Amino acid sequence: MSKTKLLAFLCCFTSFVAFSQSSVKHEGQEINRIDKDGKKTGIWKLFDKARDITIVGKMKDDVFVSNIDYYQKGKLMVTQDKDNNDTYIFYIDSKPVSVKEVRENDKVSMVKDNGEEMDKGTRDSFFNIMMVEAMFYGETGALPNFLNNELNKKEWDHSGKVKIVWMIDKNGSVKDAKVMKTDDPVLNEDAIRIIESMPRWQPSFSKGKFYQTRLNTTISFNDM
């Protein structure tokens, strides 16, 4: 194979790999796709396994093009308007109730169509359903298993712990890994490399918006 053909093949292969990694495979579904311009597209699903919450919406160019549905225990609890993030349908005893979020100074209230203000307890119970944290995809223990597998790929000449802080960006990618504390500076570069090798996470999300999240962990070399 000529150098030109080999280069073309490698470029195509690299593009294919990058494209294939743009979505997340989770529980048999391919979701949360990022397009070639780094923007969210297609069906996005977000989860909080502990509270049995699932959030579903369709996106294009980083914008929701469908209403956002919030489920808990498989039951539709909230629908958020795609064109107006302050407008919702709350399902109270399975009955749809249209509400609008109203802000006055530092006060936030939910007002029904008839002008009645929703009580704080009911409001907060629905708001809690609309928030999920950053999540490493997989079963319980998936993150430490991933880190241990990376550590076990080679023998280490040095021992010690390195504490790393990093960001999960709005697309779920790992960014800006930095050393907070180290037992041995020789290990710093490898600790950062291991963190930056993590696949995309689920980003943090609240009431129709994605957020960056700062996280930290300690990498232990040779089980110190």
Side-chain angles (χ1 to χ4, degrees), residues 1-212:
M1 183 181 293
S2 69
K3 289 184 178 180
T4 302
K5 290 182 179 179
L6 178 60
L7 180 60
F9 171 79
L10 290 174
C11 289
C12 290
F13 179 76
T14 301
S15 297
F16 172 78
V17 171
F19 182 77
S20 68
Q21 292 176 339
S22 65
S23 61
V24 171
K25 291 184 179 179
H26 182 64
E27 297 183 342
Q29 303 177 74
E30 193 164 334
I31 55 174
N32 302 4
R33 181 174 293 280
I34 303 295
D35 68 17
K36 61 183 178 60
D37 297 316
K39 295 182 178 180
K40 301 176 189 69
T41 189
I43 299 299
W44 269 67
K45 291 188 177 183
L46 306 162
F47 307 92
D48 184 319
K49 299 299 181 64
R51 297 185 294 151
D52 201 1
I53 290 171
T54 303
I55 301 170
V56 184
K58 186 176 182 180
M59 304 194 74
K60 184 177 181 181
D61 293 333
D62 261 353
V63 176
F64 280 102
V65 293
S66 74
N67 291 340
I68 309 167
D69 290 328
Y70 300 79
Y71 296 85
Q72 188 168 40
K73 298 180 179 178
K75 184 177 180 181
L76 181 60
M77 301 298 292
V78 180
T79 296
Q80 184 174 10
D81 191 288
K82 66 181 176 63
D83 298 317
N84 188 344
N85 281 351
D86 293 335
T87 302
Y88 309 86
I89 297 174
F90 287 177
Y91 294 89
I92 302 175
D93 297 327
S94 299
K95 296 178 180 179
V97 177
S98 297
V99 295
K100 185 176 180 62
E101 185 175 342
V102 177
R103 295 176 179 271
E104 293 182 4
N105 299 322
D106 293 332
K107 181 184 178 182
V108 178
S109 58
M110 300 299 290
V111 180
K112 301 177 185 178
D113 280 350
N114 61 7
E116 177 185 352
E117 183 176 337
M118 182 174 287
D119 68 89
K120 183 177 182 300
T122 302
R123 180 201 72 188
D124 289 350
S125 67
F126 281 102
F127 276 2
N128 286 336
I129 295 170
M130 292 187 278
M131 295 184 289
V132 295
E133 299 294 333
M135 180 186 76
F136 187 86
Y137 292 102
E139 301 298 328
T140 302
L143 177 56
N145 287 341
F146 173 87
L147 297 176
N148 286 333
N149 286 337
E150 291 298 308
L151 284 165
N152 291 332
K153 285 182 177 179
K154 61 175 287 187
E155 296 290 331
W156 302 100
D157 296 328
H158 294 252
S159 298
K161 295 180 179 180
V162 183
K163 188 173 184 180
I164 303 289
V165 61
W166 76 93
M167 298 294 297
I168 302 297
D169 73 8
K170 294 179 182 181
N171 285 342
S173 297
V174 177
K175 303 285 187 182
D176 302 327
K178 298 177 182 177
V179 174
M180 294 180 66
K181 184 179 179 181
T182 184
D183 291 337
D184 187 342
V186 171
L187 298 170
N188 291 359
E189 184 176 339
D190 282 308
I192 289 174
R193 178 188 55 76
I194 289 172
I195 292 298
E196 290 182 341
S197 71
M198 289 190 290
R200 255 199 315 131
W201 287 49
Q202 168 181 288
S204 296
F205 182 86
S206 177
K207 295 193 296 180
K209 295 181 180 180
F210 294 87
Y211 294 91
Q212 295 190 115

